[in-house]
Short mmCIF file of all heavy atoms in Angstrom, two decimals:
data_model
loop_
_atom_site.label_atom_id
_atom_site.label_comp_id
_atom_site.label_asym_id
_atom_site.label_seq_id
_atom_site.Cartn_x
_atom_site.Cartn_y
_atom_site.Cartn_z
N PHE A 1313 0.82 -1.21 0.00
CA PHE A 1313 0.00 0.00 0.00
C PHE A 1313 0.85 1.26 0.00
O PHE A 1313 2.06 1.21 0.23
CB PHE A 1313 -0.93 0.02 1.23
CG PHE A 1313 -0.18 0.04 2.53
CD1 PHE A 1313 0.28 1.23 3.08
CD2 PHE A 1313 0.06 -1.14 3.23
CE1 PHE A 1313 0.97 1.25 4.28
CE2 PHE A 1313 0.76 -1.13 4.44
CZ PHE A 1313 1.22 0.07 4.96
N LYS A 1314 0.16 2.39 -0.24
CA LYS A 1314 0.73 3.72 -0.05
C LYS A 1314 -0.21 4.44 0.91
O LYS A 1314 -1.42 4.44 0.72
CB LYS A 1314 0.81 4.48 -1.38
CG LYS A 1314 1.83 3.93 -2.33
CD LYS A 1314 1.91 4.74 -3.60
CE LYS A 1314 2.93 4.11 -4.55
NZ LYS A 1314 2.99 4.83 -5.83
N ARG A 1315 0.38 5.03 1.94
CA ARG A 1315 -0.43 5.69 2.98
C ARG A 1315 0.08 7.12 3.16
O ARG A 1315 1.28 7.34 3.28
CB ARG A 1315 -0.30 4.93 4.29
CG ARG A 1315 -1.00 5.62 5.46
CD ARG A 1315 -0.90 4.82 6.74
NE ARG A 1315 -1.63 3.57 6.55
CZ ARG A 1315 -1.25 2.41 7.10
NH1 ARG A 1315 -0.19 2.34 7.85
NH2 ARG A 1315 -1.95 1.32 6.89
N ARG A 1316 -0.88 8.05 3.18
CA ARG A 1316 -0.52 9.44 3.46
C ARG A 1316 -1.19 9.84 4.77
O ARG A 1316 -2.37 9.63 4.96
CB ARG A 1316 -0.95 10.39 2.34
CG ARG A 1316 -0.48 11.83 2.65
CD ARG A 1316 -0.66 12.77 1.49
NE ARG A 1316 0.39 12.61 0.51
CZ ARG A 1316 1.05 13.62 -0.03
NH1 ARG A 1316 0.80 14.86 0.33
NH2 ARG A 1316 1.97 13.40 -0.94
N GLU A 1317 -0.35 10.43 5.65
CA GLU A 1317 -0.85 10.90 6.95
C GLU A 1317 -0.80 12.42 6.92
O GLU A 1317 0.22 13.02 6.60
CB GLU A 1317 0.03 10.36 8.07
CG GLU A 1317 0.08 8.84 8.11
CD GLU A 1317 1.19 8.30 9.01
OE1 GLU A 1317 1.95 9.10 9.61
OE2 GLU A 1317 1.31 7.06 9.08
N TYR A 1318 -1.94 13.05 7.23
CA TYR A 1318 -2.05 14.50 7.21
C TYR A 1318 -1.88 15.06 8.61
O TYR A 1318 -2.16 14.38 9.60
CB TYR A 1318 -3.40 14.91 6.63
CG TYR A 1318 -3.57 14.50 5.18
CD1 TYR A 1318 -4.05 13.22 4.86
CD2 TYR A 1318 -3.22 15.36 4.15
CE1 TYR A 1318 -4.18 12.83 3.54
CE2 TYR A 1318 -3.35 14.96 2.83
CZ TYR A 1318 -3.83 13.70 2.53
OH TYR A 1318 -3.96 13.31 1.21
N PRO A 1319 -1.44 16.32 8.74
CA PRO A 1319 -1.21 16.91 10.07
C PRO A 1319 -2.46 16.90 10.95
O PRO A 1319 -2.36 16.85 12.17
CB PRO A 1319 -0.78 18.34 9.75
CG PRO A 1319 -0.21 18.27 8.37
CD PRO A 1319 -1.01 17.22 7.66
N ASP A 1320 -3.66 16.93 10.34
CA ASP A 1320 -4.89 16.93 11.17
C ASP A 1320 -5.26 15.54 11.67
O ASP A 1320 -6.25 15.38 12.36
CB ASP A 1320 -6.06 17.54 10.38
CG ASP A 1320 -6.53 16.65 9.23
OD1 ASP A 1320 -5.94 15.57 8.99
OD2 ASP A 1320 -7.51 17.04 8.55
N GLY A 1321 -4.45 14.53 11.32
CA GLY A 1321 -4.71 13.17 11.78
C GLY A 1321 -5.41 12.28 10.76
O GLY A 1321 -5.54 11.08 10.98
N THR A 1322 -5.87 12.86 9.65
CA THR A 1322 -6.50 12.06 8.59
C THR A 1322 -5.45 11.14 7.97
O THR A 1322 -4.31 11.56 7.76
CB THR A 1322 -7.09 12.98 7.50
OG1 THR A 1322 -8.05 13.84 8.11
CG2 THR A 1322 -7.74 12.19 6.38
N VAL A 1323 -5.85 9.90 7.69
CA VAL A 1323 -4.95 8.93 7.08
C VAL A 1323 -5.65 8.34 5.85
O VAL A 1323 -6.75 7.80 5.96
CB VAL A 1323 -4.58 7.79 8.06
CG1 VAL A 1323 -3.70 6.75 7.37
CG2 VAL A 1323 -3.87 8.36 9.28
N LYS A 1324 -5.00 8.46 4.69
CA LYS A 1324 -5.55 7.89 3.45
C LYS A 1324 -4.61 6.80 2.97
O LYS A 1324 -3.41 7.02 2.81
CB LYS A 1324 -5.70 8.95 2.38
CG LYS A 1324 -6.31 8.42 1.10
CD LYS A 1324 -6.58 9.52 0.08
CE LYS A 1324 -7.26 8.95 -1.15
NZ LYS A 1324 -7.60 10.00 -2.11
N THR A 1325 -5.17 5.60 2.75
CA THR A 1325 -4.37 4.46 2.29
C THR A 1325 -4.91 3.99 0.95
O THR A 1325 -6.12 3.83 0.78
CB THR A 1325 -4.45 3.30 3.31
OG1 THR A 1325 -4.06 3.80 4.60
CG2 THR A 1325 -3.54 2.16 2.92
N VAL A 1326 -4.00 3.79 -0.01
CA VAL A 1326 -4.36 3.22 -1.30
C VAL A 1326 -3.63 1.88 -1.41
O VAL A 1326 -2.41 1.82 -1.34
CB VAL A 1326 -3.93 4.16 -2.48
CG1 VAL A 1326 -4.28 3.52 -3.82
CG2 VAL A 1326 -4.56 5.53 -2.33
N TYR A 1327 -4.44 0.82 -1.56
CA TYR A 1327 -3.88 -0.53 -1.64
C TYR A 1327 -3.52 -0.87 -3.08
O TYR A 1327 -3.99 -0.24 -4.01
CB TYR A 1327 -4.89 -1.54 -1.06
CG TYR A 1327 -5.12 -1.30 0.42
CD1 TYR A 1327 -6.18 -0.51 0.84
CD2 TYR A 1327 -4.26 -1.83 1.37
CE1 TYR A 1327 -6.39 -0.26 2.20
CE2 TYR A 1327 -4.46 -1.59 2.73
CZ TYR A 1327 -5.53 -0.81 3.13
OH TYR A 1327 -5.72 -0.55 4.46
N MET A 1328 -2.69 -1.87 -3.26
CA MET A 1328 -2.22 -2.25 -4.60
C MET A 1328 -3.36 -2.67 -5.53
O MET A 1328 -3.25 -2.52 -6.73
CB MET A 1328 -1.18 -3.38 -4.51
CG MET A 1328 0.17 -2.91 -3.98
SD MET A 1328 0.86 -1.55 -4.94
CE MET A 1328 0.95 -0.25 -3.73
N ASN A 1329 -4.48 -3.15 -4.98
CA ASN A 1329 -5.62 -3.53 -5.82
C ASN A 1329 -6.46 -2.31 -6.22
O ASN A 1329 -7.47 -2.46 -6.90
CB ASN A 1329 -6.50 -4.58 -5.11
CG ASN A 1329 -7.15 -4.05 -3.84
OD1 ASN A 1329 -7.05 -2.86 -3.52
ND2 ASN A 1329 -7.82 -4.93 -3.13
N GLY A 1330 -6.03 -1.11 -5.77
CA GLY A 1330 -6.73 0.12 -6.14
C GLY A 1330 -7.73 0.60 -5.11
O GLY A 1330 -8.23 1.72 -5.19
N GLN A 1331 -8.05 -0.25 -4.15
CA GLN A 1331 -9.01 0.15 -3.10
C GLN A 1331 -8.40 1.26 -2.26
O GLN A 1331 -7.21 1.25 -1.97
CB GLN A 1331 -9.35 -1.05 -2.24
CG GLN A 1331 -10.39 -0.75 -1.17
CD GLN A 1331 -10.82 -2.01 -0.43
OE1 GLN A 1331 -11.11 -3.03 -1.05
NE2 GLN A 1331 -10.85 -1.92 0.89
N GLN A 1332 -9.25 2.25 -1.87
CA GLN A 1332 -8.81 3.37 -1.06
C GLN A 1332 -9.58 3.40 0.26
O GLN A 1332 -10.78 3.16 0.27
CB GLN A 1332 -9.07 4.69 -1.78
CG GLN A 1332 -8.37 4.82 -3.10
CD GLN A 1332 -8.76 6.11 -3.81
OE1 GLN A 1332 -9.14 7.09 -3.17
NE2 GLN A 1332 -8.66 6.13 -5.12
N GLU A 1333 -8.85 3.73 1.32
CA GLU A 1333 -9.48 3.82 2.64
C GLU A 1333 -9.03 5.13 3.27
O GLU A 1333 -7.83 5.42 3.33
CB GLU A 1333 -9.04 2.64 3.50
CG GLU A 1333 -9.55 2.68 4.92
CD GLU A 1333 -8.98 1.53 5.73
OE1 GLU A 1333 -9.60 0.45 5.74
OE2 GLU A 1333 -7.91 1.71 6.34
N THR A 1334 -10.01 5.94 3.70
CA THR A 1334 -9.68 7.20 4.37
C THR A 1334 -10.25 7.17 5.78
O THR A 1334 -11.45 6.91 5.96
CB THR A 1334 -10.26 8.41 3.60
OG1 THR A 1334 -9.83 8.32 2.23
CG2 THR A 1334 -9.79 9.73 4.19
N LYS A 1335 -9.39 7.39 6.77
CA LYS A 1335 -9.81 7.44 8.17
C LYS A 1335 -9.65 8.88 8.63
O LYS A 1335 -8.56 9.45 8.56
CB LYS A 1335 -8.96 6.52 9.04
CG LYS A 1335 -9.15 5.06 8.73
CD LYS A 1335 -8.27 4.19 9.64
CE LYS A 1335 -8.47 2.73 9.31
NZ LYS A 1335 -7.63 1.86 10.15
N TYR A 1336 -10.76 9.46 9.11
CA TYR A 1336 -10.75 10.85 9.56
C TYR A 1336 -10.60 10.91 11.07
O TYR A 1336 -10.88 9.94 11.78
CB TYR A 1336 -12.04 11.54 9.13
CG TYR A 1336 -12.22 11.58 7.63
CD1 TYR A 1336 -12.90 10.56 6.97
CD2 TYR A 1336 -11.69 12.62 6.87
CE1 TYR A 1336 -13.05 10.58 5.58
CE2 TYR A 1336 -11.85 12.65 5.50
CZ TYR A 1336 -12.52 11.62 4.86
OH TYR A 1336 -12.67 11.64 3.50
N VAL A 1337 -10.16 12.04 11.58
CA VAL A 1337 -9.97 12.23 13.01
C VAL A 1337 -11.26 12.01 13.78
O VAL A 1337 -11.26 11.50 14.89
CB VAL A 1337 -9.42 13.67 13.30
CG1 VAL A 1337 -9.18 13.87 14.78
CG2 VAL A 1337 -8.14 13.89 12.54
N SER A 1338 -12.39 12.35 13.17
CA SER A 1338 -13.70 12.21 13.81
C SER A 1338 -14.07 10.75 14.06
O SER A 1338 -15.00 10.46 14.78
CB SER A 1338 -14.78 12.84 12.93
OG SER A 1338 -14.86 12.14 11.69
N GLY A 1339 -13.34 9.81 13.41
CA GLY A 1339 -13.67 8.40 13.52
C GLY A 1339 -14.34 7.88 12.27
O GLY A 1339 -14.49 6.67 12.10
N ARG A 1340 -14.73 8.78 11.39
CA ARG A 1340 -15.36 8.39 10.13
C ARG A 1340 -14.36 7.59 9.28
O ARG A 1340 -13.18 7.92 9.23
CB ARG A 1340 -15.80 9.64 9.37
CG ARG A 1340 -16.36 9.37 8.00
CD ARG A 1340 -16.69 10.68 7.31
NE ARG A 1340 -17.10 10.45 5.93
CZ ARG A 1340 -17.21 11.40 5.02
NH1 ARG A 1340 -16.95 12.66 5.34
NH2 ARG A 1340 -17.60 11.11 3.80
N VAL A 1341 -14.85 6.55 8.61
CA VAL A 1341 -14.04 5.75 7.70
C VAL A 1341 -14.78 5.66 6.37
O VAL A 1341 -15.97 5.32 6.34
CB VAL A 1341 -13.80 4.32 8.26
CG1 VAL A 1341 -13.02 3.49 7.25
CG2 VAL A 1341 -13.07 4.38 9.59
N ARG A 1342 -14.08 5.96 5.29
CA ARG A 1342 -14.67 5.87 3.96
C ARG A 1342 -13.79 4.95 3.12
O ARG A 1342 -12.57 5.12 3.08
CB ARG A 1342 -14.78 7.24 3.30
CG ARG A 1342 -15.49 7.17 1.93
CD ARG A 1342 -15.69 8.53 1.35
NE ARG A 1342 -14.38 9.11 1.02
CZ ARG A 1342 -14.14 10.39 0.83
NH1 ARG A 1342 -15.10 11.28 0.95
NH2 ARG A 1342 -12.93 10.82 0.53
N VAL A 1343 -14.43 3.96 2.43
CA VAL A 1343 -13.71 3.02 1.59
C VAL A 1343 -14.27 3.12 0.18
O VAL A 1343 -15.48 3.12 -0.01
CB VAL A 1343 -13.85 1.57 2.13
CG1 VAL A 1343 -13.09 0.59 1.23
CG2 VAL A 1343 -13.33 1.48 3.56
N LYS A 1344 -13.35 3.22 -0.79
CA LYS A 1344 -13.74 3.26 -2.21
C LYS A 1344 -13.09 2.08 -2.92
O LYS A 1344 -11.98 1.67 -2.57
CB LYS A 1344 -13.24 4.55 -2.87
CG LYS A 1344 -13.89 5.82 -2.34
CD LYS A 1344 -13.34 7.03 -3.10
CE LYS A 1344 -13.95 8.32 -2.60
NZ LYS A 1344 -13.40 9.49 -3.33
N ASP A 1345 -13.77 1.57 -3.95
CA ASP A 1345 -13.17 0.51 -4.75
C ASP A 1345 -12.19 1.12 -5.75
O ASP A 1345 -12.03 2.33 -5.82
CB ASP A 1345 -14.24 -0.36 -5.44
CG ASP A 1345 -15.03 0.39 -6.50
OD1 ASP A 1345 -14.61 1.49 -6.95
OD2 ASP A 1345 -16.10 -0.13 -6.89
N LYS A 1346 -11.57 0.27 -6.57
CA LYS A 1346 -10.53 0.73 -7.49
C LYS A 1346 -11.04 1.75 -8.51
O LYS A 1346 -10.26 2.52 -9.05
CB LYS A 1346 -9.88 -0.45 -8.21
CG LYS A 1346 -10.79 -1.22 -9.14
CD LYS A 1346 -10.03 -2.35 -9.81
CE LYS A 1346 -10.88 -3.22 -10.69
NZ LYS A 1346 -11.54 -2.56 -11.76
N ASP A 1347 -12.35 1.79 -8.74
CA ASP A 1347 -12.92 2.73 -9.71
C ASP A 1347 -13.41 4.02 -9.03
O ASP A 1347 -13.96 4.88 -9.71
CB ASP A 1347 -14.08 2.06 -10.47
CG ASP A 1347 -13.62 0.83 -11.25
OD1 ASP A 1347 -12.53 0.90 -11.86
OD2 ASP A 1347 -14.32 -0.19 -11.20
N GLY A 1348 -13.23 4.12 -7.72
CA GLY A 1348 -13.63 5.33 -7.01
C GLY A 1348 -15.05 5.29 -6.46
O GLY A 1348 -15.53 6.29 -5.92
N ASN A 1349 -15.72 4.16 -6.59
CA ASN A 1349 -17.09 4.02 -6.05
C ASN A 1349 -17.01 3.80 -4.55
O ASN A 1349 -16.23 2.96 -4.08
CB ASN A 1349 -17.82 2.86 -6.71
CG ASN A 1349 -17.89 3.01 -8.21
OD1 ASN A 1349 -18.27 4.07 -8.70
ND2 ASN A 1349 -17.52 1.97 -8.93
N ILE A 1350 -17.83 4.52 -3.78
CA ILE A 1350 -17.85 4.37 -2.33
C ILE A 1350 -18.52 3.03 -2.00
O ILE A 1350 -19.65 2.77 -2.40
CB ILE A 1350 -18.60 5.53 -1.65
CG1 ILE A 1350 -17.84 6.83 -1.92
CG2 ILE A 1350 -18.75 5.27 -0.15
CD1 ILE A 1350 -18.56 8.08 -1.42
N ILE A 1351 -17.79 2.18 -1.28
CA ILE A 1351 -18.37 0.89 -0.87
C ILE A 1351 -18.65 0.85 0.63
O ILE A 1351 -19.35 -0.03 1.11
CB ILE A 1351 -17.48 -0.32 -1.30
CG1 ILE A 1351 -16.03 -0.15 -0.81
CG2 ILE A 1351 -17.50 -0.50 -2.80
CD1 ILE A 1351 -15.13 -1.34 -1.14
N MET A 1352 -18.13 1.86 1.36
CA MET A 1352 -18.44 1.99 2.79
C MET A 1352 -18.16 3.40 3.24
O MET A 1352 -17.16 4.01 2.83
CB MET A 1352 -17.60 1.01 3.61
CG MET A 1352 -17.95 1.01 5.10
SD MET A 1352 -16.89 -0.09 6.05
CE MET A 1352 -15.69 1.04 6.67
N ASP A 1353 -19.05 3.96 4.06
CA ASP A 1353 -18.83 5.29 4.63
C ASP A 1353 -19.53 5.34 5.95
O ASP A 1353 -20.76 5.20 6.02
CB ASP A 1353 -19.36 6.38 3.69
CG ASP A 1353 -18.85 7.76 4.06
OD1 ASP A 1353 -18.33 7.94 5.19
OD2 ASP A 1353 -18.94 8.66 3.21
N THR A 1354 -18.77 5.49 7.03
CA THR A 1354 -19.36 5.51 8.37
C THR A 1354 -19.47 6.96 8.83
O THR A 1354 -18.82 7.35 9.80
CB THR A 1354 -18.53 4.72 9.38
OG1 THR A 1354 -17.23 5.31 9.44
CG2 THR A 1354 -18.40 3.26 8.97
N LYS A 1355 -20.31 7.75 8.14
CA LYS A 1355 -20.50 9.15 8.55
C LYS A 1355 -21.05 9.16 9.96
O LYS A 1355 -22.02 8.50 10.27
CB LYS A 1355 -21.47 9.85 7.61
CG LYS A 1355 -20.94 10.07 6.24
CD LYS A 1355 -21.94 10.81 5.39
CE LYS A 1355 -21.43 10.92 3.95
NZ LYS A 1355 -22.40 11.51 3.05
#
């Protein structure tokens, strides 16, 4: 994977299969498939 950590605590990870996962400081987690479609969002 490739993971970027932002100063505000947000962490975005892109896996080799193209799936993306973003974890926000608030606890929200958003997951997108390789085409950018949201497959999970815990607003």
Side-chain angles (χ1 to χ4, degrees):
F1313 62 84
K1314 290 182 182 177
R1315 175 178 295 145
R1316 183 171 281 227
E1317 301 167 359
Y1318 296 87
D1320 70 358
T1322 301
V1323 177
K1324 182 174 183 176
T1325 306
V1326 179
Y1327 296 94
M1328 287 304 118
N1329 64 6
Q1331 182 173 314
Q1332 300 176 26
E1333 176 184 271
T1334 307
K1335 294 180 180 179
Y1336 299 91
V1337 181
S1338 64
R1340 175 183 174 193
V1341 177
R1342 184 175 67 199
V1343 180
K1344 294 181 180 179
D1345 67 16
K1346 65 179 177 59
D1347 299 318
N1349 302 311
I1350 296 174
I1351 54 177
M1352 185 183 97
D1353 195 344
T1354 61
K1355 291 182 185 174

